[in-house]
Amino acid sequence: MIGNGFMKLYELIKGVAETSLPDMEISGITSDTRAEVKAGGMFVCIKGKTFDGHDAAQQMLDKGCAVVVCERDLGLERQIVVSDTRAAFPMLCAAWFGHPERELELIGVTGTNGKTTITTVIKKVLSGFGCKVGLIGTCQNEIGEEIIPTARTTPEPYDLFELFRRMADAGCKYTVMEVSSQGLEQKRVQGCHFKVGVFTNLTQDHLDVHGTMENYYQAKKMLFDISDSAIINIDDEYGRRYAKEIPCPYKSYSVNGSADFMAQDVMLGTAGVKYVFDDGRVKKNVSFNMPGLFNVSNSLAVIACMEVLGYTPCQTIREFEKIQGVRGRAEIVPTGRDFTVICDYAHTPDALINVLSAIKEGAKGKVKCLFGCGGNRDRTKRAPMAAAAAEHADFLIVTSDNPRNEDPDEIINDVMEGLKGKDTPYVRITDRREAIHWAVKNAEKDDIIVLAGKGHEDYQILAGGVKIHFDEREVVAEALRELE
C-alpha cells in the first residue's frame, strides 16, 4: 500500500460513505490483498470473478488496516458498508489524491479499433499547440515527454488517480485516454467527468468478457453518461444507435455520407491518405500520413474533438499533417530491400480487413499476412480472423500470437476453421519468430508483408503469464542479416 501522507477518514469518505466510527488518520488505501499494508490503512473489499475481497476483510484488519469498506455487514467492528464497493473505490482513490481529475480536461476515446491512433494524434496536436498533455492508453502512458509503461488500456483506480495526480502536478492541462469497455464496466473511471467522449466503431472483440455484442455496446455507452459532449462515427451501425440514445449532445463524422464532419474525394495510398475536409463551413485539402480509409475516419475524429477543445479544423489539419505515424499502427519496418514489412496491431477481423484492404489498394506486388490469435481470449473470433485475412491478402502465414495458457497449436486449429473453402495459399508455422524469418527469407520483389496482431508490443505472453522479450522489428532485422 503506497501512502500519500495521511488523510482523515471523514474527509476521505465524504460524499461516498457514512459511518459512526470515530474519525481517524488513514495511511493509505488499497483493494489488493497482496499489497504492502501500512498500519492505519483502508481496505476496500471488491468481488472479482475468482476472488471476493470480502473473504479477506478480517485478514486485512489483522495485517494492520484501520478500517474495511464492504458491501454487506461482515460483523466487524471497523467496517463501513456501502452499496457498491467497485463504484466507491475509484471515488475514494480520487479523494486520496486530492481529486486531480478536477484539475484536468479529460478526453476519452472508446471503440474497438482506432483508439490508440486517435489518442496519440490528439496528444501530438495539442503538444504542437504548446500544451502539456497526459496520455493513458494501450501502448504506454505519457506525462508530456515522460514515458510510463502500462499493463492495461485503462488502469485500475488507484493507479489511474495516481497518474492523474502526477499529470496535474506536472502542469498538464489535458489528459487524453483510451477508455476500455472493461474499464467502464468495472467502474474504474467512476467519479471522472470527460469534456468530450469519442466513439470510433464496434466490432467483434472481448466477447470472452462481455458475452454478447449488446453487452459490449452497453459497456461502451457508459462513457457518454459521464461526458459533456460526444463525437460519434455514424458510419458505424452502433454509432448511429448511440446518436439516438446517448444523453449528451454530439457531433457526427463520416467518410461515406452526410455528417457534421465529412471527408470527400478520398485518395488512398500505402504511405497515407488525401481527402477534402468539409464541415459545411470550411473545405480544406488534407494529407494524413497513415494509410487506409479507417485512418481518414480517425483523422476526422481528431478534427472534431479538437474543435470541441476550441481549435479550428484548419489549425488541427496543419498540425497533424506534420505527424509521421503511430508506432505499431501500419508502421513500416525498414528493410533496405525490394520488399516492404509493415507492423500493425490488427487483432480483430474488422481491423485485419481495414489494414489489409488499405495496403492492398496501392500494392504493386503480393500482400502477405502473418497473423495468429491470442490465447485465453475470445475463441469465436479466431475463424473469422482467418476468413478476413484470406479474403484480403494474397498469401497467409498462420502462426502464434500471445498463447498464454493455451496450446498454440490448438489455437491455430481454431484459426484454420476459417480457411475451409478458401483458396488463398498459406503456410502454418507455430513459432512466431520462425514464421517471421520464413516470411522474410521467402519475400519476393514488391511484396508487402503485414505482421498483424502485435503492433507496439515488444513481448510475447506464454503459459503462466510469463512474458518474454519479442520485438518484431528486431526479429525482422535478425532475418534480414541471415540473408546477407
Side-chain angles (χ1 to χ4, degrees):
M1 185 183 298
I2 302 170
N4 188 39
F6 289 85
M7 191 172 188
K8 285 289 190 179
L9 173 64
Y10 284 16
E11 182 185 0
L12 182 59
I13 67 172
K14 185 178 179 181
V16 181
E18 296 181 352
T19 184
S20 58
L21 290 173
D23 203 4
M24 64 186 84
E25 294 277 7
I26 299 297
S27 64
I29 179 172
T30 189
S31 64
D32 188 349
T33 57
R34 300 162 298 182
E36 179 187 345
V37 175
K38 281 187 177 181
M42 172 184 281
F43 175 68
V44 182
C45 308
I46 293 177
K47 183 177 182 180
K49 283 189 174 181
T50 59
F51 178 76
D52 188 346
H54 291 78
D55 296 336
Q58 182 62 62
Q59 170 195 336
M60 296 303 286
L61 289 172
D62 293 342
K63 286 172 69 173
C65 284
V67 63
V68 296
V69 179
C70 47
E71 286 183 355
R72 59 180 185 271
D73 184 356
L74 300 176
L76 303 173
E77 288 184 13
R78 289 172 287 151
Q79 67 178 22
I80 299 174
V81 180
V82 298
S83 60
D84 184 347
T85 53
R86 201 174 272 283
F89 183 49
M91 293 193 290
L92 291 166
C93 292
W96 178 254
F97 286 105
H99 289 289
E101 77 285 0
R102 297 174 184 173
E103 302 172 37
L104 300 161
E105 291 194 13
L106 302 181
I107 303 151
V109 182
T110 199
T112 306
N113 303 312
K115 298 187 296 297
T116 298
T117 296
I118 291 170
T119 53
T120 302
V121 173
I122 289 173
K123 196 235 178 187
K124 289 183 176 183
V125 169
L126 284 169
S127 298
F129 291 145
C131 303
K132 190 161 188 180
V133 185
L135 181 143
I136 298 173
T138 303
C139 300
Q140 60 194 25
N141 300 325
E142 302 175 16
I143 302 175
E145 298 304 312
E146 180 187 358
I147 306 300
I148 303 164
T150 184
R152 60 192 64 209
T153 299
T154 306
E156 293 292 341
Y158 188 95
D159 299 327
L160 177 63
F161 286 93
E162 183 180 35
L163 261 176
F164 284 156
R165 179 75 273 154
R166 290 176 62 183
M167 289 172 178
D169 289 350
C172 291
K173 179 179 180 182
Y174 300 99
T175 293
V176 56
M177 64 182 291
E178 299 180 42
V179 188
S180 68
S181 54
Q182 288 168 275
L184 287 160
E185 193 168 70
Q186 293 177 2
K187 304 180 183 179
R188 296 180 208 159
V189 293
Q190 191 83 11
C192 294
H193 196 82
F194 292 82
K195 186 173 181 67
V196 58
V198 179
F199 171 74
T200 62
N201 50 63
L202 205 65
T203 62
Q204 184 177 342
D205 200 13
H206 303 304
L207 296 192
D208 53 316
V209 174
H210 299 294
T212 66
M213 286 298 291
E214 179 63 21
N215 292 342
Y216 188 26
Y217 168 86
Q218 293 296 340
K220 295 284 190 189
K221 187 179 178 183
M222 293 177 189
L223 175 62
F224 305 106
D225 293 330
I226 52 175
S227 296
D228 288 334
S229 63
I231 303 298
I232 302 292
N233 176 14
I234 58 169
D235 289 333
D236 185 272
E237 61 176 311
Y238 292 101
R240 293 191 291 275
R241 188 175 158 193
Y242 281 135
K244 296 175 183 176
E245 297 180 4
I246 61 174
C248 62
Y250 75 93
K251 291 289 183 74
S252 60
Y253 65 96
S254 170
V255 299
N256 293 324
S258 180
D260 296 307
F261 299 87
M262 298 174 286
Q264 298 172 344
D265 301 327
V266 176
M267 296 175 61
L268 303 175
T270 54
V273 295
K274 296 182 186 295
Y275 64 93
V276 176
F277 168 79
D278 184 2
D279 66 356
R281 297 162 295 170
V282 173
K283 282 196 173 188
K284 184 169 176 60
N285 291 328
V286 176
S287 178
F288 188 59
N289 297 319
M290 297 186 71
L293 192 62
F294 62 101
N295 275 317
V296 176
S297 184
N298 289 338
S299 67
L300 285 175
V302 173
I303 296 169
C305 182
M306 292 299 298
E307 185 172 90
V308 174
L309 300 181
Y311 298 92
T312 67
C314 290
Q315 287 175 307
T316 300
I317 291 164
R318 279 197 300 271
E319 198 58 42
F320 76 43
E321 285 185 336
K322 303 173 186 176
I323 297 168
Q324 292 305 308
V326 175
R327 179 177 168 85
R329 271 59 183 176
E331 175 190 356
I332 296 175
V333 180
T335 64
R337 304 293 177 122
D338 58 2
F339 58 88
T340 302
V341 177
I342 292 177
C343 183
D344 192 84
Y345 190 52
H347 62 285
T348 67
D350 185 65
L352 261 186
I353 291 168
N354 283 339
V355 73
L356 292 175
S357 58
I359 290 165
K360 200 170 179 65
E361 183 79 22
K364 293 181 182 177
K366 293 179 181 178
V367 174
K368 298 178 177 179
C369 180
L370 182 150
F371 76 103
C373 290
N376 303 117
R377 295 294 186 267
D378 182 9
R379 292 184 63 178
T380 64
K381 74 176 184 181
R382 292 174 183 173
M385 283 273 288
E391 185 72 23
H392 296 275
D394 302 302
F395 189 89
L396 306 180
I397 303 149
V398 186
T399 187
S400 184
D401 193 284
N402 291 322
R404 299 183 177 86
N405 290 322
E406 285 193 69
D407 181 337
D409 282 305
E410 289 301 318
I411 296 173
I412 293 174
N413 288 342
D414 288 342
V415 171
M416 299 299 291
E417 290 295 311
L419 296 183
K420 289 183 176 177
K422 308 289 185 183
D423 56 7
T424 306
Y426 68 88
V427 293
R428 171 176 174 161
I429 304 171
T430 303
D431 183 275
R432 195 173 181 101
R433 183 180 301 274
E434 184 184 336
I436 293 173
H437 278 250
W438 188 94
V440 170
K441 181 180 178 181
N442 289 277
E444 300 170 310
K445 185 177 184 298
D446 294 328
D447 276 357
I448 300 178
I449 302 167
V450 181
L451 309 179
K454 301 292 291 173
H456 62 281
E457 294 179 356
D458 60 1
Y459 57 83
Q460 259 193 313
I461 306 175
L462 308 180
V466 173
K467 265 189 183 182
I468 62 168
H469 180 74
F470 191 90
D471 188 324
E472 294 194 320
R473 298 150 197 80
E474 296 173 7
V475 179
V476 169
E478 288 171 9
L480 289 168
R481 284 195 294 272
E482 287 189 1
L483 295 181
E484 295 173 357

Short mmCIF file of all heavy atoms in Angstrom, two decimals, residues 102-147:
data_model
loop_
_atom_site.label_atom_id
_atom_site.label_comp_id
_atom_site.label_asym_id
_atom_site.label_seq_id
_atom_site.Cartn_x
_atom_site.Cartn_y
_atom_site.Cartn_z
N ARG A 102 -10.22 16.75 -11.36
CA ARG A 102 -10.89 18.04 -11.48
C ARG A 102 -9.95 19.14 -11.97
O ARG A 102 -10.40 20.22 -12.34
CB ARG A 102 -11.48 18.43 -10.13
CG ARG A 102 -12.55 17.47 -9.62
CD ARG A 102 -13.00 17.81 -8.22
NE ARG A 102 -13.96 16.84 -7.70
CZ ARG A 102 -14.42 16.83 -6.46
NH1 ARG A 102 -14.01 17.75 -5.58
NH2 ARG A 102 -15.29 15.90 -6.06
N GLU A 103 -8.66 18.86 -11.97
CA GLU A 103 -7.66 19.83 -12.41
C GLU A 103 -7.28 19.62 -13.88
O GLU A 103 -6.46 20.38 -14.42
CB GLU A 103 -6.41 19.72 -11.53
CG GLU A 103 -6.69 19.94 -10.05
CD GLU A 103 -5.47 19.62 -9.19
OE1 GLU A 103 -4.33 19.90 -9.63
OE2 GLU A 103 -5.66 19.07 -8.09
N LEU A 104 -7.84 18.60 -14.51
CA LEU A 104 -7.50 18.24 -15.89
C LEU A 104 -8.74 18.28 -16.77
O LEU A 104 -9.86 18.03 -16.29
CB LEU A 104 -6.93 16.83 -15.93
CG LEU A 104 -5.66 16.57 -15.13
CD1 LEU A 104 -5.49 15.07 -14.89
CD2 LEU A 104 -4.44 17.14 -15.84
N GLU A 105 -8.56 18.59 -18.04
CA GLU A 105 -9.64 18.42 -19.00
C GLU A 105 -9.47 17.03 -19.60
O GLU A 105 -8.46 16.76 -20.27
CB GLU A 105 -9.60 19.51 -20.08
CG GLU A 105 -9.96 20.89 -19.52
CD GLU A 105 -10.26 21.90 -20.61
OE1 GLU A 105 -10.44 21.51 -21.78
OE2 GLU A 105 -10.32 23.10 -20.28
N LEU A 106 -10.43 16.16 -19.35
CA LEU A 106 -10.33 14.76 -19.77
C LEU A 106 -10.99 14.55 -21.12
O LEU A 106 -12.11 15.00 -21.37
CB LEU A 106 -10.99 13.85 -18.73
CG LEU A 106 -10.45 13.92 -17.30
CD1 LEU A 106 -11.21 12.93 -16.41
CD2 LEU A 106 -8.95 13.64 -17.27
N ILE A 107 -10.27 13.84 -21.99
CA ILE A 107 -10.77 13.47 -23.32
C ILE A 107 -10.75 11.95 -23.37
O ILE A 107 -9.69 11.33 -23.22
CB ILE A 107 -9.87 14.04 -24.43
CG1 ILE A 107 -9.77 15.56 -24.30
CG2 ILE A 107 -10.37 13.63 -25.81
CD1 ILE A 107 -8.47 16.12 -24.81
N GLY A 108 -11.90 11.32 -23.56
CA GLY A 108 -11.98 9.86 -23.58
C GLY A 108 -12.30 9.34 -24.96
O GLY A 108 -13.17 9.89 -25.65
N VAL A 109 -11.61 8.28 -25.38
CA VAL A 109 -11.86 7.66 -26.68
C VAL A 109 -12.17 6.19 -26.46
O VAL A 109 -11.41 5.47 -25.81
CB VAL A 109 -10.65 7.80 -27.63
CG1 VAL A 109 -10.97 7.19 -29.00
CG2 VAL A 109 -10.25 9.27 -27.77
N THR A 110 -13.32 5.75 -26.96
CA THR A 110 -13.69 4.35 -26.82
C THR A 110 -14.10 3.78 -28.18
O THR A 110 -14.39 4.52 -29.12
CB THR A 110 -14.83 4.19 -25.78
OG1 THR A 110 -14.88 2.85 -25.32
CG2 THR A 110 -16.19 4.60 -26.33
N GLY A 111 -14.13 2.47 -28.27
CA GLY A 111 -14.42 1.77 -29.53
C GLY A 111 -13.51 0.57 -29.65
O GLY A 111 -12.58 0.39 -28.84
N THR A 112 -13.75 -0.27 -30.64
CA THR A 112 -12.92 -1.46 -30.81
C THR A 112 -11.57 -1.11 -31.44
O THR A 112 -10.52 -1.49 -30.95
CB THR A 112 -13.64 -2.50 -31.69
OG1 THR A 112 -14.93 -2.77 -31.15
CG2 THR A 112 -12.85 -3.80 -31.74
N ASN A 113 -11.61 -0.38 -32.53
CA ASN A 113 -10.39 -0.03 -33.27
C ASN A 113 -10.22 1.48 -33.36
O ASN A 113 -11.20 2.23 -33.35
CB ASN A 113 -10.45 -0.62 -34.69
CG ASN A 113 -10.64 -2.12 -34.68
OD1 ASN A 113 -9.96 -2.84 -33.96
ND2 ASN A 113 -11.59 -2.60 -35.48
N GLY A 114 -8.98 1.92 -33.46
CA GLY A 114 -8.70 3.33 -33.70
C GLY A 114 -8.37 4.16 -32.47
O GLY A 114 -7.92 5.30 -32.59
N LYS A 115 -8.57 3.58 -31.28
CA LYS A 115 -8.38 4.37 -30.05
C LYS A 115 -6.95 4.89 -29.92
O LYS A 115 -6.72 6.05 -29.59
CB LYS A 115 -8.73 3.54 -28.81
CG LYS A 115 -10.17 3.07 -28.74
CD LYS A 115 -10.49 2.41 -27.40
CE LYS A 115 -9.71 1.14 -27.14
NZ LYS A 115 -9.99 0.06 -28.10
N THR A 116 -5.98 4.01 -30.14
CA THR A 116 -4.58 4.41 -29.95
C THR A 116 -4.16 5.47 -30.95
O THR A 116 -3.49 6.45 -30.60
CB THR A 116 -3.66 3.18 -30.05
OG1 THR A 116 -3.99 2.26 -29.01
CG2 THR A 116 -2.20 3.58 -29.92
N THR A 117 -4.55 5.29 -32.21
CA THR A 117 -4.20 6.29 -33.23
C THR A 117 -4.81 7.64 -32.87
O THR A 117 -4.12 8.67 -32.89
CB THR A 117 -4.69 5.84 -34.61
OG1 THR A 117 -4.00 4.64 -34.98
CG2 THR A 117 -4.45 6.91 -35.66
N ILE A 118 -6.08 7.67 -32.53
CA ILE A 118 -6.76 8.93 -32.25
C ILE A 118 -6.17 9.62 -31.02
O ILE A 118 -5.87 10.82 -31.04
CB ILE A 118 -8.28 8.71 -32.09
CG1 ILE A 118 -8.89 8.32 -33.44
CG2 ILE A 118 -8.97 9.97 -31.54
CD1 ILE A 118 -10.32 7.84 -33.37
N THR A 119 -5.99 8.87 -29.93
CA THR A 119 -5.45 9.49 -28.72
C THR A 119 -4.03 10.00 -28.94
O THR A 119 -3.67 11.09 -28.49
CB THR A 119 -5.46 8.52 -27.52
OG1 THR A 119 -4.80 7.30 -27.88
CG2 THR A 119 -6.88 8.22 -27.07
N THR A 120 -3.23 9.21 -29.66
CA THR A 120 -1.84 9.62 -29.92
C THR A 120 -1.79 10.88 -30.77
O THR A 120 -1.01 11.81 -30.49
CB THR A 120 -1.06 8.49 -30.60
OG1 THR A 120 -1.09 7.33 -29.77
CG2 THR A 120 0.39 8.88 -30.84
N VAL A 121 -2.61 10.93 -31.80
CA VAL A 121 -2.61 12.11 -32.68
C VAL A 121 -3.14 13.34 -31.94
O VAL A 121 -2.58 14.43 -32.08
CB VAL A 121 -3.41 11.83 -33.97
CG1 VAL A 121 -3.55 13.10 -34.81
CG2 VAL A 121 -2.73 10.73 -34.80
N ILE A 122 -4.19 13.17 -31.14
CA ILE A 122 -4.70 14.31 -30.35
C ILE A 122 -3.61 14.85 -29.44
O ILE A 122 -3.39 16.05 -29.34
CB ILE A 122 -5.93 13.90 -29.52
CG1 ILE A 122 -7.15 13.69 -30.43
CG2 ILE A 122 -6.27 14.97 -28.48
CD1 ILE A 122 -8.36 13.12 -29.73
N LYS A 123 -2.88 13.93 -28.79
CA LYS A 123 -1.82 14.37 -27.89
C LYS A 123 -0.72 15.13 -28.65
O LYS A 123 -0.24 16.17 -28.20
CB LYS A 123 -1.21 13.16 -27.18
CG LYS A 123 -0.38 13.55 -25.96
CD LYS A 123 1.02 13.02 -26.01
CE LYS A 123 1.81 13.47 -24.80
NZ LYS A 123 3.23 13.11 -24.89
N LYS A 124 -0.35 14.62 -29.82
CA LYS A 124 0.70 15.27 -30.60
C LYS A 124 0.23 16.64 -31.11
O LYS A 124 1.01 17.60 -31.14
CB LYS A 124 1.12 14.38 -31.76
CG LYS A 124 1.90 13.15 -31.32
CD LYS A 124 2.39 12.32 -32.50
CE LYS A 124 3.24 11.15 -32.03
NZ LYS A 124 3.79 10.36 -33.14
N VAL A 125 -1.03 16.73 -31.50
CA VAL A 125 -1.57 18.01 -31.98
C VAL A 125 -1.60 19.03 -30.85
O VAL A 125 -1.15 20.17 -31.01
CB VAL A 125 -2.97 17.81 -32.59
CG1 VAL A 125 -3.64 19.16 -32.86
CG2 VAL A 125 -2.87 17.02 -33.89
N LEU A 126 -2.13 18.64 -29.70
CA LEU A 126 -2.18 19.56 -28.56
C LEU A 126 -0.77 19.98 -28.12
O LEU A 126 -0.54 21.14 -27.78
CB LEU A 126 -2.91 18.90 -27.39
CG LEU A 126 -4.44 18.82 -27.50
CD1 LEU A 126 -5.01 17.92 -26.41
CD2 LEU A 126 -5.06 20.21 -27.42
N SER A 127 0.16 19.03 -28.16
CA SER A 127 1.55 19.35 -27.82
C SER A 127 2.12 20.36 -28.81
O SER A 127 2.87 21.27 -28.44
CB SER A 127 2.41 18.08 -27.80
OG SER A 127 1.95 17.17 -26.82
N GLY A 128 1.75 20.19 -30.08
CA GLY A 128 2.19 21.13 -31.10
C GLY A 128 1.66 22.54 -30.87
O GLY A 128 2.28 23.52 -31.29
N PHE A 129 0.52 22.64 -30.19
CA PHE A 129 -0.05 23.94 -29.85
C PHE A 129 0.53 24.50 -28.55
O PHE A 129 0.07 25.52 -28.05
CB PHE A 129 -1.57 23.84 -29.73
CG PHE A 129 -2.26 23.59 -31.04
CD1 PHE A 129 -3.41 22.80 -31.08
CD2 PHE A 129 -1.80 24.14 -32.22
CE1 PHE A 129 -4.07 22.57 -32.28
CE2 PHE A 129 -2.45 23.90 -33.42
CZ PHE A 129 -3.59 23.12 -33.45
N GLY A 130 1.51 23.79 -28.00
CA GLY A 130 2.17 24.28 -26.80
C GLY A 130 1.57 23.83 -25.49
O GLY A 130 1.97 24.31 -24.42
N CYS A 131 0.62 22.89 -25.54
CA CYS A 131 0.00 22.39 -24.32
C CYS A 131 0.79 21.21 -23.76
O CYS A 131 1.34 20.40 -24.51
CB CYS A 131 -1.43 21.91 -24.60
SG CYS A 131 -2.51 23.18 -25.31
N LYS A 132 0.84 21.09 -22.45
CA LYS A 132 1.39 19.89 -21.84
C LYS A 132 0.25 18.91 -21.66
O LYS A 132 -0.80 19.27 -21.11
CB LYS A 132 2.07 20.20 -20.50
CG LYS A 132 2.86 19.00 -19.97
CD LYS A 132 3.89 19.39 -18.94
CE LYS A 132 4.77 18.19 -18.58
NZ LYS A 132 5.81 18.53 -17.58
N VAL A 133 0.45 17.67 -22.10
CA VAL A 133 -0.65 16.71 -22.20
C VAL A 133 -0.25 15.37 -21.59
O VAL A 133 0.87 14.90 -21.77
CB VAL A 133 -1.04 16.49 -23.69
CG1 VAL A 133 -2.26 15.58 -23.79
CG2 VAL A 133 -1.29 17.82 -24.38
N GLY A 134 -1.18 14.78 -20.87
CA GLY A 134 -1.02 13.41 -20.40
C GLY A 134 -1.74 12.47 -21.33
O GLY A 134 -2.76 12.83 -21.93
N LEU A 135 -1.21 11.26 -21.48
CA LEU A 135 -1.85 10.25 -22.32
C LEU A 135 -1.91 8.93 -21.56
O LEU A 135 -0.93 8.53 -20.92
CB LEU A 135 -1.08 10.06 -23.63
CG LEU A 135 -1.67 9.05 -24.62
CD1 LEU A 135 -1.50 9.54 -26.06
CD2 LEU A 135 -1.03 7.67 -24.47
N ILE A 136 -3.06 8.28 -21.62
CA ILE A 136 -3.25 6.97 -20.99
C ILE A 136 -3.79 6.03 -22.05
O ILE A 136 -4.84 6.29 -22.63
CB ILE A 136 -4.22 7.06 -19.79
CG1 ILE A 136 -3.67 8.00 -18.72
CG2 ILE A 136 -4.49 5.68 -19.21
CD1 ILE A 136 -4.62 8.28 -17.57
N GLY A 137 -3.05 4.93 -22.32
CA GLY A 137 -3.51 4.08 -23.41
C GLY A 137 -2.88 2.71 -23.45
O GLY A 137 -2.15 2.31 -22.54
N THR A 138 -3.16 2.01 -24.53
CA THR A 138 -2.75 0.62 -24.71
C THR A 138 -1.24 0.47 -24.78
O THR A 138 -0.68 -0.47 -24.21
CB THR A 138 -3.39 0.06 -26.00
OG1 THR A 138 -4.81 0.21 -25.93
CG2 THR A 138 -3.04 -1.40 -26.19
N CYS A 139 -0.58 1.36 -25.51
CA CYS A 139 0.85 1.22 -25.74
C CYS A 139 1.67 1.62 -24.53
O CYS A 139 2.59 0.92 -24.13
CB CYS A 139 1.30 2.07 -26.93
SG CYS A 139 0.49 1.64 -28.47
N GLN A 140 1.32 2.78 -23.96
CA GLN A 140 2.08 3.32 -22.83
C GLN A 140 1.32 4.52 -22.28
O GLN A 140 0.38 5.02 -22.91
CB GLN A 140 3.47 3.77 -23.29
CG GLN A 140 3.44 4.85 -24.37
CD GLN A 140 4.76 5.05 -25.06
OE1 GLN A 140 5.61 4.16 -25.11
NE2 GLN A 140 4.97 6.23 -25.63
N ASN A 141 1.71 4.96 -21.10
CA ASN A 141 1.20 6.20 -20.55
C ASN A 141 2.29 7.26 -20.72
O ASN A 141 3.48 6.95 -20.74
CB ASN A 141 0.84 6.03 -19.07
CG ASN A 141 -0.23 4.98 -18.87
OD1 ASN A 141 -1.13 4.83 -19.69
ND2 ASN A 141 -0.14 4.24 -17.78
N GLU A 142 1.87 8.51 -20.84
CA GLU A 142 2.83 9.59 -21.05
C GLU A 142 2.42 10.81 -20.23
O GLU A 142 1.24 11.13 -20.12
CB GLU A 142 2.88 9.99 -22.54
CG GLU A 142 3.26 8.85 -23.48
CD GLU A 142 3.18 9.25 -24.95
OE1 GLU A 142 3.13 10.47 -25.23
OE2 GLU A 142 3.14 8.34 -25.79
N ILE A 143 3.42 11.45 -19.64
CA ILE A 143 3.22 12.75 -19.00
C ILE A 143 4.14 13.72 -19.72
O ILE A 143 5.35 13.73 -19.49
CB ILE A 143 3.54 12.70 -17.50
CG1 ILE A 143 2.67 11.65 -16.80
CG2 ILE A 143 3.32 14.08 -16.86
CD1 ILE A 143 2.99 11.45 -15.32
N GLY A 144 3.59 14.50 -20.64
CA GLY A 144 4.45 15.29 -21.52
C GLY A 144 5.32 14.34 -22.32
O GLY A 144 4.82 13.47 -23.03
N GLU A 145 6.63 14.47 -22.17
CA GLU A 145 7.56 13.60 -22.89
C GLU A 145 7.98 12.38 -22.07
O GLU A 145 8.69 11.51 -22.58
CB GLU A 145 8.82 14.40 -23.28
CG GLU A 145 8.54 15.59 -24.21
CD GLU A 145 7.84 15.15 -25.49
OE1 GLU A 145 8.28 14.17 -26.11
OE2 GLU A 145 6.82 15.78 -25.84
N GLU A 146 7.57 12.31 -20.82
CA GLU A 146 7.94 11.17 -19.97
C GLU A 146 7.10 9.95 -20.33
O GLU A 146 5.87 10.02 -20.41
CB GLU A 146 7.72 11.53 -18.50
CG GLU A 146 8.08 10.40 -17.54
CD GLU A 146 7.72 10.68 -16.09
OE1 GLU A 146 7.21 11.80 -15.80
OE2 GLU A 146 7.92 9.80 -15.24
N ILE A 147 7.75 8.82 -20.55
CA ILE A 147 7.08 7.57 -20.90
C ILE A 147 6.95 6.70 -19.66
O ILE A 147 7.91 6.48 -18.93
CB ILE A 147 7.88 6.80 -21.99
CG1 ILE A 147 8.14 7.71 -23.20
CG2 ILE A 147 7.15 5.53 -22.38
CD1 ILE A 147 6.90 8.21 -23.88
#
